[in-house]
Amino acid sequence: MKRALTLLSVLCTFVATLTVGTSASMAATADGGVDCQHVAAPDVPGATVESLTGVDKPAAGGVPARCEVDLYLTHPGVGDHVRVAVWLPSSGWNGRYQGTGGASWAAGVFDFYLAPAVAQGFAAASTDAGTGTNQADPSSWALKADGTVNTELLTNFASRSVHDMTVAAKQVITSFYGKAPSYSYWNSCSTGGRQGLMEAQRYPTDYNGIVAAAPAINEDRLTVGGLWPQVLMNESHDYLSSCKLNAFTQAAIAQCDTRDGAPADGIIEQPEDCDYDPHGLVGQTVVCDGQSSTITTTDADVVAGIWRGPTSPDGRHNPWYGMTRGAALDQVAAITTDSDGTTHGAPFPVTDTWIRYFLKKQPSFDTSTVTRGQFAQLFVQSQNEYNKIIGTDDPDLTAFRNAGGKMITWHGQADQIITPLNTVDYIHRVWSTIGSAADTNSFYRVFFAPGAGHCGLGSYGPFPPDNGLGAVMNWVENGQAPATLPAAMVDGSGATVTRNLCLFPQTAHYDGHGDPKAAASYHCAA
């Protein structure tokens, strides 16, 4: 659970920080309070206004006085109870609406996303999809009383509730301000990135602009694929410590770091071209928690398998992608030690719960014991049963393009949770479906961030501080498509590192002179 929760802690790093133009609001009372009384219930099936709360004092972080509207929706015959929260700044509304997404098993994270959005002048909304806000555990809703999967709530989580939220929020905004939002934007990462792509694919007129960062595109396969490192450790009875795993990561970075022509900076520019062989560490000693440990051939075999990715039981083909060299391995190859000293695998929480509840339908199932053969069966089962519900791998974005929508995806090359190869595969298929990369770039652009971890978590390299929202707004409102995406971070020495992320498939090349930590010292080229 701790690993799942740490993902949420990093989301603030990509909440947008840009300043946008404002317009006067009509929601302030004469005494400076906030009048929520004239907000009407939206014309959405099953919608009721649960509460209207006027918050008349600005909060920390620049969050203004606001009207907080809590709606509840229900779908006929389902019996669900879906919460939608809409926050409306009482003054300084910029005329725009921002939809916000979730993390892990939460469809929305509410205050965490809503507060910064309204601080920037947006009216904003979030939803719990009727499943609650626990991002680590779906146990309260995944299975019905008879032990079958609650496909209605899974459908809410996968797609339906974000659309419902968007329709309802726009009506509430219109009721509150007396006019509809001029532009609507989606801005989220990970689960929220998947939700953004789902909107573009199934509800192409909901948003003018979408930021779908590090998206869990093929969630039906991606989530099961996250168990592969555990399968390898279980199969070999070799459970690598975080210290050993980090030694392999650092060795790969050391070998492939300077291939971009820049001085060593701890960043692999193109990890797919890094061919570092982990067996080069065999026999070397690492110190873990004060204890010396020697790298074994079995250790190297496990890491090689993680980087190669899942293989079929006969070893003849790869049904999914491995992790990229340079990504931290200990998120999905974690281990735990019992009180009796026994060490075993600790599967990533989202993967663990997906298999236990949605595939095995047995909450007590121990996913750390899954064999290679069982893994292959679970992988196929997940795709067959759930791709149509939660898969966002449809490359046909024609309707979104025709509606005038613009979308940006950025993905860390060192993403330790969702491999960037997932996004590489998707954009290639979009190019083929739309006609070409050039045609696709007219409305959808993808950028990769070398060295950046999942949504910026655990990054060696810079990532977009505003998640790309400023770029997609400029594209939508001013017609200026981004050629690069500005990225930044503060490194271990306290120095600010900047980089302009290149439009895929271009990559950054060092000019041969200038500060290697400055974006101005690089250019983008094929």
Side-chain angles (χ1 to χ4, degrees), residues 110-161:
F110 290 85
D111 294 15
F112 193 87
Y113 267 144
L114 295 176
V118 297
Q120 298 152 26
F122 290 91
S126 191
T127 180
D128 72 354
T131 64
T133 57
N134 187 335
Q135 71 261 20
D137 185 1
S139 60
S140 64
W141 61 270
L143 300 177
K144 296 187 289 189
D146 62 2
T148 59
V149 171
N150 193 329
T151 54
E152 292 288 356
L153 286 185
L154 182 60
T155 298
N156 281 358
F157 175 78
S159 61
R160 182 163 57 192
S161 286

Side-chain angles (χ1 to χ4, degrees), residues 447 483-485 500-503 506-509 511 522-526:
F447 303 84
T484 58
L485 205 59
N500 291 321
L501 307 185
C502 299
L503 176 63
Q506 293 186 333
T507 58
H509 298 260
D511 292 336
Y522 297 81
H523 66 278
C524 294

Side-chain angles (χ1 to χ4, degrees), residues 237-420:
H237 305 290
D238 183 26
Y239 302 97
L240 282 73
S241 66
S242 294
C243 183
K244 280 190 173 183
L245 293 169
N246 185 58
F248 284 106
T249 297
Q250 293 305 317
I253 292 174
Q255 175 165 309
C256 300
D257 185 342
T258 58
R259 292 187 179 182
D260 58 358
D265 55 6
I267 299 172
I268 302 176
E269 183 69 35
Q270 294 178 271
E272 66 273 22
D273 292 337
C274 180
D275 55 1
Y276 173 72
D277 183 351
H279 292 87
L281 277 190
V282 172
Q284 295 193 27
T285 300
V286 296
V287 178
C288 305
D289 299 324
Q291 301 281 328
S292 295
S293 182
T294 301
I295 302 291
T296 68
T297 298
T298 306
D299 293 337
D301 289 343
V302 169
V303 172
I306 293 173
W307 285 339
R308 181 172 57 245
T311 57
S312 58
D314 61 11
R316 293 183 179 179
H317 66 278
N318 288 61
W320 195 243
Y321 303 101
M323 294 182 68
T324 54
R325 288 166 171 78
L329 301 173
D330 58 356
Q331 284 285 323
V332 292
I335 60 175
T336 186
T337 302
D338 296 336
S339 57
D340 62 1
T342 302
T343 300
H344 54 84
F348 187 67
V350 176
T351 292
D352 174 62
T353 49
W354 177 257
I355 292 172
R356 288 193 290 122
Y357 287 95
F358 295 96
L359 298 181
K360 300 300 291 186
K361 297 144 183 102
Q362 300 173 23
S364 62
F365 181 77
D366 185 358
T367 57
S368 71
T369 65
V370 170
T371 65
R372 188 182 295 248
Q374 291 172 317
F375 174 88
Q377 294 171 352
L378 292 168
F379 190 89
V380 172
Q381 177 194 354
S382 186
Q383 184 175 13
N384 288 343
E385 293 184 6
Y386 296 108
N387 177 259
K388 290 183 179 180
I389 296 176
I390 203 168
T392 48
D393 55 349
D394 181 359
D396 188 356
L397 298 175
T398 304
F400 181 71
R401 177 196 63 189
N402 292 347
K406 309 298 182 186
M407 183 161 60
I408 288 174
T409 288
W410 75 267
H411 205 142
Q413 291 277 46
D415 194 316
Q416 66 277 52
I417 304 300
I418 300 175
T419 172

Side-chain angles (χ1 to χ4, degrees), residues 23-58:
S23 59
S25 164
M26 305 187 325
T29 61
D31 60 2
V34 178
D35 177 13
C36 296
Q37 301 307 310
H38 64 286
V39 175
D43 184 19
V44 176
T48 60
V49 177
E50 188 82 3
S51 66
L52 299 168
T53 305
V55 181
D56 60 3
K57 293 183 179 180

